[in-house]
Amino acid sequence: MSNSQAAHSQTIKHSGGIADRLYTLVVAVISIAAFIMVAYPLYFIIIASVSNSTMVNQGQVILWPKDINLYGYEQIFKDTRIWQGYKNTIIYTVLGTLLNLLVTLPAAYALSQRKFRARRFIMPLFVITMYFGGGMIPTYLLIRDLNLLNTPWVMIVNGAISVYNLIITRTFFETAIPEELHEAATLDGCSHFRYFISVVVPLSKAVISVITLYYVVGHWNDFFNALLYINTDSLQPLQIVLRNILLSNQAFAGGAGSGAGAGAGSYAQQFADQIKYAVIIVSTVPVLIIYPFIQKYFEKGVMIGAVKG
Amino acid sequence: MKPAQTTVPHQTLRGNGWLRKQAGHYQLWLMVLPAVIYIAIFCYGPMYGIQLAFREFDFSKGLTGGEWAGLKYFEQYFNSPMFWPTLRNTFIIAFFSILLGFPMPILLALVVNSIRSNRRKRILQTTVYMPYFISTVVLVALLQIMLSPTTGLIDGFLKALHLIPADTNLIGDPGAFVPVYVISAIWQACGWNSIIFIAALSSVDAQQYDAARIDGANRWQTVWHVEIPAILPTIIILLIMNMGSILSVGFEKTFLMQNSLNKPVSEVISTYVFNVGVKSNQFSFGSAVGLFNTLINFTFLMLANALAKKTSKISLM
């Protein structure tokens, strides 16, 4: 496969008429443009977060940080709201993701078993929920009636399974794990539980890492659930805290004692942007750190799961 | 799928095969049970609660206890001054998101697929996936900083190129809301959405490329006659799925980008449901508006599905 592909690109290289060269040029231009358009803003946030805000605002910080200082980061480290939000988000993410995996993986396994007749009606029932739902108000009232409002549980339990991830996982189990393995295991007297834990899970690192990444990112970035269902300040996740600091400008509201959120300290306006850049980095880095570790499984996992899903 | 193969081991174990099978199924049931319970409570529960849209909400009687009100709340929405603005805004944002946002990942996938150097390919892919991990809150904050009329990087850049007049405030200008919304969405998700097309392209048989070359096709013709047809089924399926959520314009981003200046163009159905339903406690009215949105979504999904079935024999269901 890789040999023939290499040979094929070789031949294209040699055959290069004007049209082909133009094609190569267009591809190069688009890929460089795409790279710069995505990479530069991300790079800019980093250099702006450690540069003198005045120079950033005057447009002097373009390629390298200038007048380096860590004032923004120092302010954040003193801000208890951010750390409280961080702590809450980590709890919600860890417990939520664990629950996601405990619900999704066994269900995907059961639904991947061709002999399991019930899957013929269970699967459609799951898929319908991707396109049709009760909507915001009935869901809100249900959560209220279950006494989940203003509890950490709503952030962990609500969204315990994503049907999309279930389909990816099920398809992976169906296509990447040979049925003969199960037959051999059954002959040796292996139960479904045993087979699932000692054979299927170890063989499915690719898809498990991918859906773990999906779930982690989902919990980490979850804003909607907290907005709807959490009022208590001490339970707010990072994203709500970020919204207060970054968008509502609570923290920058003029002088001291101007009634910013509970326990909030006011930042000096002149450093506002630098602090914003630093907040963006501090809140996004954890997710970006996980990504490269999972990337190597990426192609195997998503691709098998998604294309045939 | 393979009945002949799968029954073999059971036949060899005929003595306790039936029992074993039942035991096995009971285990499978246990494994799928948590998911079924969750879906029943959290997805079908609210669907059952849809009747709220046809009832007078009664605080003491819960989701389904109030008096029947018929179509009162639908009529109230259709006759309200917010009906047309919310419907129009939702449609405009959805329309441009699909029109511009759908083809870009396909284009990007074709480009990535054409890069020969594995290292360059990997660098480009890793980079363009990155923005997908940024949360909506942070993305909107970034937009505000970058588009700030006095100090914003992008604002300054566009002004330097004379692409926008010097006095433009992209964050406050109602005319800029839809372009900013759509372009930033493409920036954030284009790379991520291209993964599936890159995967589909990687399954194109090398022989097809060779055949095209022997027929004298240049690289453009190969794209048109080999690569596009190869990913067409994926394109159609994803298009149907996107059509099905045409009116579920992202609540979070719209809500976070909303301010008093752009509200006339940024109030979409979902933000309206939140504002009247949750914030002002008009539960029945909010449910009716939400149900109206869901029904339109579903109609679009079915229409797109039927159309695709008719024209290309590919369908979701």
Side-chain angles (χ1 to χ4, degrees):
Chain A
M1 185 69 180
S2 60
N3 263 340
S4 61
Q5 268 182 353
H8 131 80
S9 47
Q10 279 292 320
T11 46
I12 281 188
K13 216 175 206 169
H14 288 295
S15 71
I18 289 185
D20 284 357
R21 261 183 255 165
L22 183 67
Y23 181 85
T24 314
L25 184 72
V26 170
V27 164
V29 169
I30 296 180
S31 44
I32 291 169
F35 177 79
I36 293 175
M37 275 192 290
V38 174
Y40 184 70
L42 299 177
Y43 174 71
F44 177 79
I45 307 165
I46 299 174
I47 56 173
S49 74
V50 293
S51 298
N52 180 323
S53 327
T54 320
M55 293 174 94
V56 174
N57 289 342
Q58 286 167 353
Q60 291 185 39
V61 176
I62 292 178
L63 285 180
W64 308 111
K66 291 206 174 131
D67 187 15
I68 294 179
N69 69 76
L70 297 176
Y71 181 80
Y73 292 96
E74 281 167 26
Q75 292 302 306
I76 294 174
F77 278 100
K78 282 190 250 165
D79 192 322
T80 50
R81 289 170 305 169
I82 291 181
W83 298 112
Q84 180 72 34
Y86 235 106
K87 194 184 94 193
N88 291 338
T89 291
I90 289 173
I91 295 172
Y92 300 154
T93 304
V94 171
L95 295 183
T97 307
L98 271 177
L99 180 70
N100 287 143
L101 295 176
L102 281 174
V103 175
T104 309
L105 297 177
Y109 170 79
L111 293 170
S112 75
Q113 295 300 303
R114 296 184 199 283
K115 279 170 270 176
F116 186 48
R117 289 285 174 83
R119 74 179 199 151
R120 286 185 203 165
F121 69 85
I122 295 179
M123 212 51 217
L125 281 178
F126 280 24
V127 174
I128 287 171
T129 64
M130 291 170 82
Y131 297 100
F132 200 86
M136 199 184 288
I137 308 291
T139 311
Y140 175 84
L141 291 171
L142 175 85
I143 299 280
R144 199 198 60 171
D145 291 348
L146 292 173
N147 286 323
L148 289 174
L149 280 188
N150 277 321
T151 65
W153 297 109
V154 72
M155 301 298 291
I156 296 163
V157 176
N158 194 21
I161 189 169
S162 130
V163 176
Y164 182 79
N165 290 348
L166 175 76
I167 293 177
I168 290 183
T169 320
R170 189 202 60 162
T171 315
F172 183 94
F173 289 160
E174 274 178 4
T175 49
I177 298 178
E179 215 163 328
E180 289 75 18
L181 256 178
H182 183 229
E183 283 158 22
T186 319
L187 278 177
D188 292 340
C190 185
S191 70
H192 277 295
F193 292 145
R194 186 71 201 283
Y195 174 70
F196 172 69
I197 291 165
S198 7
V199 179
V200 174
V201 169
L203 282 178
S204 308
K205 284 201 196 98
V207 79
I208 294 176
S209 11
V210 171
I211 63 162
T212 306
L213 176 71
Y214 283 1
Y215 280 132
V216 166
V217 173
H219 286 292
W220 190 271
N221 290 342
D222 185 6
F223 168 78
F224 181 73
N225 278 319
L227 176 76
L228 271 181
Y229 308 124
I230 304 271
N231 289 322
T232 319
D233 276 341
S234 62
L235 291 178
Q236 295 292 12
L238 188 59
Q239 298 302 329
I240 296 277
V241 177
L242 289 182
R243 177 195 171 218
N244 295 342
I245 294 178
L246 294 170
L247 300 178
S248 310
N249 279 326
Q250 281 184 10
F252 308 110
S258 58
S266 280
Y267 297 127
Q269 186 63 42
Q270 76 220 64
F271 298 110
D273 283 342
Q274 193 183 6
I275 293 164
K276 281 187 181 182
Y277 291 120
V279 168
I280 289 174
I281 290 176
V282 168
S283 65
T284 311
V285 157
V287 180
L288 289 181
I289 286 176
I290 310 174
Y291 171 57
F293 290 103
I294 290 177
Q295 203 191 7
K296 67 172 176 177
Y297 295 116
F298 222 75
E299 288 169 12
K300 280 187 253 168
V302 196
M303 314 230 156
I304 292 178
V307 177
K308 297 176 183 170
Chain B
M1 284 290 155
K2 294 187 275 181
Q5 277 181 9
T6 51
T7 50
V8 172
H10 289 287
Q11 277 164 0
T12 55
L13 288 170
R14 188 165 280 281
N16 56 1
W18 183 84
L19 239 169
R20 198 179 280 269
K21 196 171 161 188
Q22 291 313 304
H25 280 201
Y26 128 83
Q27 289 177 333
L28 291 176
W29 268 111
L30 268 186
M31 290 169 97
V32 83
L33 202 62
V36 169
I37 293 175
Y38 173 79
I39 295 276
I41 297 178
F42 287 88
C43 297
Y44 285 92
M47 279 191 222
Y48 180 69
I50 285 176
Q51 26 174 316
L52 192 63
F54 307 96
R55 288 182 189 268
E56 299 287 352
F57 179 69
D58 184 328
F59 220 88
S60 58
K61 290 175 185 156
L63 269 176
T64 53
E67 292 290 315
W68 287 104
L71 295 176
K72 176 182 155 192
Y73 289 105
F74 290 90
E75 280 164 24
Q76 191 184 327
Y77 175 50
F78 297 147
N79 295 327
S80 81
M82 284 311 285
F83 175 64
W84 277 114
T86 49
L87 191 64
R88 188 197 60 214
N89 294 341
T90 313
F91 258 109
I92 289 176
I93 294 173
F95 176 76
F96 284 103
S97 298
I98 288 198
L99 186 76
L100 299 174
F102 189 75
M104 294 303 265
I106 302 173
L107 179 73
L108 183 66
L110 291 169
V111 166
V112 167
N113 191 52
S114 305
I115 300 175
R116 284 184 217 114
S117 148
N118 270 333
R119 212 178 118 252
R120 279 182 216 160
K121 194 188 267 186
R122 184 166 295 268
I123 292 175
L124 179 64
Q125 278 183 276
T126 310
T127 314
V128 294
Y129 295 166
M130 210 75 95
Y132 188 79
F133 297 99
I134 295 175
S135 74
T136 315
V137 177
V138 168
L139 180 78
V140 175
L142 264 179
L143 284 174
Q144 290 198 352
I145 298 174
M146 299 264 180
L147 297 176
S148 148
T150 45
T151 56
L153 184 75
I154 297 174
D155 218 65
F157 182 70
L158 293 175
K159 279 172 187 164
L161 291 176
H162 295 285
L163 286 171
I164 54 170
D167 58 345
T168 321
N169 175 3
L170 286 174
I171 279 295
D173 185 359
F177 179 81
V178 175
V180 168
Y181 184 98
V182 172
I183 294 171
S184 62
I186 294 175
W187 181 81
Q188 186 172 32
C190 180
W192 191 259
N193 292 339
S194 72
I195 294 178
I196 192 161
F197 298 109
I198 293 171
L201 279 171
S202 70
S203 66
V204 176
D205 195 338
Q207 289 180 3
Q208 290 202 36
Y209 283 105
D210 293 337
R213 192 178 46 83
I214 290 167
D215 289 344
N218 64 33
R219 201 60 189 80
W220 299 96
Q221 289 162 329
T222 311
V223 168
W224 191 246
H225 296 290
V226 176
E227 294 183 338
I228 302 253
I231 59 174
L232 199 60
T234 313
I235 294 178
I236 293 174
I237 290 282
L238 286 183
L239 192 57
I240 299 173
M241 282 167 50
N242 285 355
M243 292 294 283
S245 47
I246 191 157
L247 291 195
S248 330
V249 168
F251 168 81
E252 274 187 31
K253 197 168 155 198
T254 328
F255 177 77
L256 288 166
M257 281 176 72
Q258 204 166 63
N259 56 42
S260 50
L261 291 170
N262 64 28
K263 204 153 183 174
V265 294
S266 69
E267 186 82 317
V268 294
I269 298 179
S270 57
T271 55
Y272 186 57
V273 171
F274 178 76
N275 286 328
V276 296
V278 179
K279 271 191 170 168
S280 335
N281 290 334
Q282 301 182 50
F283 292 134
S284 288
F285 183 65
S287 303
V289 179
L291 181 58
F292 173 72
N293 196 15
T294 309
L295 288 177
I296 294 189
N297 273 342
F298 210 66
T299 315
F300 268 102
L301 179 69
M302 289 303 157
L303 278 179
N305 193 49
L307 205 68
K309 214 177 205 168
K310 216 171 179 181
T311 52
S312 64
K313 302 200 168 49
I314 296 169
S315 79
L316 204 60
M317 278 160 270

